[in-house]
Amino acid sequence: MTPFAERVLTLEAEGAYAVLARSQALEAQGREILHLEIGQPDFATPAHVSAAGIKAIQAGQTRYNPPAGLPALRQLIAREAGRQHGLEFTPSQVVIGPGAKPGLFFPTLALIQAGDEVIYPDPGFPTYQAMIAIAGGVPVAVPLREENKFSFDLKAFDAAINRRTKLIVLNSPANPTGGVIPLEDLQHIAAKAQDFGAWVMSDEIYGRLAYDGNQVPSIASLPGMPDRTIIVDGFSKTYAMTGWRLGYTIMPEKLAERVELLLTHSIGCTATFTQFAGMEALTGPQEQVDAMVAEYQRRRDHIVAGLNAIPGIHCLIPQGAFYVFPNVKSFGRPSSEIARRLLDEAGVAALSGTDFGPNGEGYLRLCYATSVRTIDGALEKMAEFFQALSA
Ligand code: PLP
């Protein structure tokens, strides 16, 4: 007999945190480790944004605020996101939370009952499966395939969707693949969602991190979709604000009311001064965001070229986010073994593709939100490691 509720028994740690802990243990023994495991910008939060947060603390903005967030920030987000999606949002559709994760978790809790099916990407961000399980839903994985540039496998999607499908989770640009779902695929998914009466959760946290001048299309903007789409976004990646904890969700008003109640009785509210920093991020100069995106693109090109120069590795050019997902199938070893040995033997911290679901077998995930020097060091060590592995 276990004393714990079943809903927590299947939960697992996120691979990135597990590898980080292991690399830190190795560093404590004096080993030098090159970190490409954690998905967060290496840039500092823009100074004007930090200054706005500090000023807010000094001005006494350290008390409770409404559970769904400061009205002024909700209004700003409604305006900005509306402009970006070509839609009109009202502030009452916007719910602020401490990071994007609550924006994934609480709408799922508000929608999913025991037995409801939820379609989600595999490989995909591990929180999707966890939140579906906690809500008592049935997780239905749809593979993302390299041959489709890691968009949804639409044949598998068509086979998976049915009348019990309550929610479809999309992530574009995606963690861990960097893939972007093209407009035609979104149109297909949107038509099916309407046929079967399903909601769509569109995780757009990497929406601004798109390369080669491309814009990432959103399913929310397609006809018939605003009433059934939950847009999840936040400040963590775009504004290098992972530790501030600030995100938001935009959804139909009736759902937002339920989500607000869940927030009321769980987190209470999101830090007030953090929201002041968020307002500055949205209204202040955007040059630093553009500069960060340009730098990520430079690093992307550098790491992709370096990986493809290693015999046996094949790496697609990701269109967004800050991850590469190289194919290492030719080495004939499980990804988890390769990732573990890369860390232990070569001092390169990377994640196994299987940390993101069974369909990640045969791949590694490397985060290139780090210096070119670290990337070059890792490429050199990987070249030696893989040469020895295939010898
Ligand atoms: N969604 C995806 C796809 C992510 O990769 C992450 C973080 O890595 C999040 C959501 C969570 O973002 P936040 O740190 O704002 O909660």
Side-chain angles (χ1 to χ4, degrees), residues 13 18 33 42 61 85 93 104 110-111 159 162 170 183-184 227 243 248 279 282 301 306 317 332 348-349 376 378 386:
I33 304 296
D42 60 325
Q61 297 292 353
H85 289 83
Q93 290 181 260
L104 297 169
L111 287 172
N162 65 71
L170 304 179
L183 183 63
E184 315 81 80
D227 289 349
Y248 57 87
M279 286 193 267
L282 289 180
D301 293 344
I317 302 176
V348 176
D376 278 340
F386 282 107

Side-chain angles (χ1 to χ4, degrees), residues 115-314:
D116 287 340
E117 295 186 8
V118 184
I119 289 179
Y120 70 103
D122 173 6
F125 185 47
T127 293
Y128 304 144
Q129 207 195 350
M131 74 196 190
I132 298 163
I134 292 172
V138 180
V140 180
V142 165
L144 308 187
R145 299 196 195 281
E146 190 179 348
E147 47 279 28
N148 304 329
K149 294 194 182 155
F150 297 117
S151 177
F152 253 32
D153 177 335
L154 292 181
K155 261 202 194 128
F157 171 73
D158 287 351
I161 193 164
N162 65 71
R163 290 260 154 234
R164 291 183 302 280
T165 307
K166 184 81 176 274
L167 178 65
I168 301 161
V169 181
L170 304 179
N171 177 212
S172 177
N175 178 7
T177 63
V180 167
I181 308 179
L183 183 63
E184 315 81 80
D185 290 12
L186 290 177
Q187 284 163 335
H188 180 101
I189 295 166
K192 292 280 174 185
Q194 290 176 54
D195 286 351
F196 288 96
W199 288 81
V200 172
M201 177 175 274
S202 180
D203 182 345
E204 303 182 3
I205 188 90
Y206 298 104
R208 285 280 287 278
L209 307 187
Y211 306 122
D212 308 317
N214 291 324
Q215 295 269 327
V216 178
S218 168
I219 197 164
S221 306
L222 299 181
M225 293 311 289
D227 289 349
R228 60 177 69 247
T229 305
I230 302 146
I231 299 170
V232 182
D233 205 337
F235 295 75
S236 298
K237 317 285 176 174
T238 310
Y239 295 100
M241 291 178 74
T242 47
W244 289 82
R245 308 312 296 140
L246 188 60
Y248 57 87
T249 316
I250 306 172
M251 63 205 125
E253 201 176 313
K254 291 276 176 235
L255 178 59
E257 285 168 10
R258 296 288 118 189
V259 169
E260 180 173 1
L261 291 169
L262 285 169
L263 287 175
T264 305
H265 298 296
S266 54
I267 57 137
C269 66
T270 303
T272 311
F273 47 86
T274 287
Q275 296 185 58
F276 276 85
M279 286 193 267
E280 173 61 24
L282 289 180
T283 54
Q286 302 295 303
E287 286 82 20
Q288 265 173 282
V289 175
D290 297 338
M292 286 191 269
V293 174
E295 178 59 18
Y296 290 141
Q297 181 172 321
R298 193 171 79 85
R299 295 173 185 180
R300 174 200 68 165
D301 293 344
H302 192 71
I303 196 167
V304 169
L307 286 167
N308 281 323
I310 299 175
I313 292 188
H314 176 256

Side-chain angles (χ1 to χ4, degrees), residues 329-343:
K329 290 180 185 172
S330 73
F331 298 97
R333 310 282 171 99
S335 295
S336 55
E337 180 194 320
I338 295 182
R340 184 176 43 76
R341 289 182 55 187
L342 254 180
L343 178 59

